[in-house]
Amino acid sequence: MRKINCLIVDDEPLAREGIKEYCDQIPLVKVIALCKNAIIANEYLQSHEIDLIFLDINMPLLTGLEWLKTLKNSPLVIITSAYSEHALESYDFEVIDYLVKPIPFNRFLQAVNKAERLLTKEDNNNTIFIKTSDAIKRVATSDILFIESMQNYVKVITEKEIIITHITLKQMHDQLPKNEFIKTHKSYIISKNKIDEISGNLIVIRDCKVPISVRLKKEVLQSLM
């Protein structure tokens, strides 16, 4: 896979350099910037494609956790802190690991490997990663039946389960293979491979009926034919 683009965010210069030295030992990792506070990191996040953030918690102006509260659909986050007492709270923000300074290299590598597993997509199986309230789930697109919008959340109905994630329908649509999925309504995206029947303005998938809007009906039918 391509390199993992990361930010290192820590107010201590020695801590920033120490994490960078660790990153430099791992060919897969590419450090985009070393940021002394969350304000600077936020600017990089707006203008660069970032996969992973190594984030300190106790920083001036804005703590690491306060910054995470402001982010929507953030990159993967690994906390790097001198204090262990924030560990439980940090997982409310779906961080993938919590490293306590001084960080042993083998523990650092373990955390990076976890990030790699979450970011990697198998070539022979299209997958997407979906962030839920307590985990980051890897879902094969071939398992998705349809997706329903609920304002700032979407409900992903799969062959095995229903997954709710804090993302817009458009953001979800952008992640899906365009040849497999189509928007049928302002609130629905369906897998074309899962359609059992089209009846009037409804698409039947398993025991569910998904509406087709008047505005999109012609486009939907043309795509299917």
Side-chain angles (χ1 to χ4, degrees):
M1 68 173 285
R2 65 175 175 81
K3 286 183 177 289
I4 298 174
N5 292 335
C6 72
L7 290 180
I8 298 171
V9 189
D10 199 305
D11 63 322
E12 295 290 340
L14 288 179
R16 293 196 299 272
E17 290 296 335
I19 294 172
K20 184 179 184 302
E21 286 181 13
Y22 275 3
C23 289
D24 290 343
Q25 301 302 311
I26 306 173
L28 185 67
V29 177
K30 178 181 180 181
V31 177
I32 299 299
L34 281 67
C35 307
K36 65 181 181 181
N37 58 51
I39 308 300
I40 295 172
N42 198 65
E43 293 180 6
Y44 273 97
L45 198 58
Q46 304 306 316
S47 56
H48 294 76
E49 183 179 352
I50 304 298
D51 304 303
L52 176 64
I53 301 172
F54 296 100
L55 181 64
D56 188 24
I57 292 180
N58 294 329
M59 295 184 291
L61 301 178
L62 195 66
T63 71
L65 295 185
E66 287 172 342
W67 181 43
L68 288 183
K69 287 180 182 178
T70 71
L71 299 180
K72 292 183 179 180
N73 307 311
S74 74
L76 299 179
V77 175
I78 295 173
I79 296 294
T80 56
S81 174
Y83 305 95
S84 61
E85 59 262 31
H86 299 291
L88 187 59
E89 180 187 3
S90 73
Y91 286 104
D92 289 337
F93 299 92
E94 301 174 16
V95 304
I96 65 167
D97 214 332
Y98 192 106
L99 305 179
V100 179
K101 302 170 184 173
I103 304 167
F105 180 74
N106 66 327
R107 184 67 183 84
F108 184 87
L109 182 59
Q110 181 184 11
V112 171
N113 284 338
K114 186 185 296 185
E116 179 190 7
R117 289 196 299 272
L118 290 170
L119 291 167
T120 300
K121 294 184 178 182
E122 297 175 4
D123 293 336
N124 60 352
N125 185 20
N126 284 324
T127 61
I128 59 174
F129 294 97
I130 300 177
K131 294 174 71 172
T132 68
S133 60
D134 57 1
I136 298 174
K137 294 187 176 238
R138 182 175 184 161
V139 178
T141 58
S142 59
D143 284 341
I144 297 174
L145 302 178
F146 64 92
I147 300 159
E148 179 182 357
S149 172
M150 302 182 297
Q151 295 184 339
N152 291 326
Y153 292 82
V154 299
K155 183 163 60 174
V156 183
I157 293 85
T158 76
E159 298 276 8
K160 305 169 186 174
E161 61 184 329
I162 296 175
I163 305 169
I164 296 176
T165 180
H166 185 65
I167 192 174
T168 66
L169 193 67
K170 182 183 183 304
Q171 289 170 328
M172 177 59 72
H173 199 190
D174 289 343
Q175 299 181 48
L176 298 169
K178 298 300 182 285
N179 61 324
E180 295 179 30
F181 292 85
I182 187 168
K183 189 174 181 181
T184 65
H185 183 278
K186 67 179 181 179
S187 299
Y188 289 89
I189 296 168
I190 60 107
S191 169
K192 293 189 285 186
N193 297 326
K194 302 298 183 180
I195 295 173
D196 294 317
E197 181 183 332
I198 300 175
S199 179
N201 290 327
L202 294 174
I203 291 176
V204 180
I205 299 177
R206 304 294 190 269
D207 297 327
C208 301
K209 294 180 179 179
V210 178
I212 308 174
S213 70
V214 174
R215 180 176 64 85
L216 293 174
K217 187 170 185 178
K218 181 179 179 181
E219 178 183 342
V220 171
L221 294 178
Q222 286 179 342
S223 174
L224 297 177
M225 299 303 178

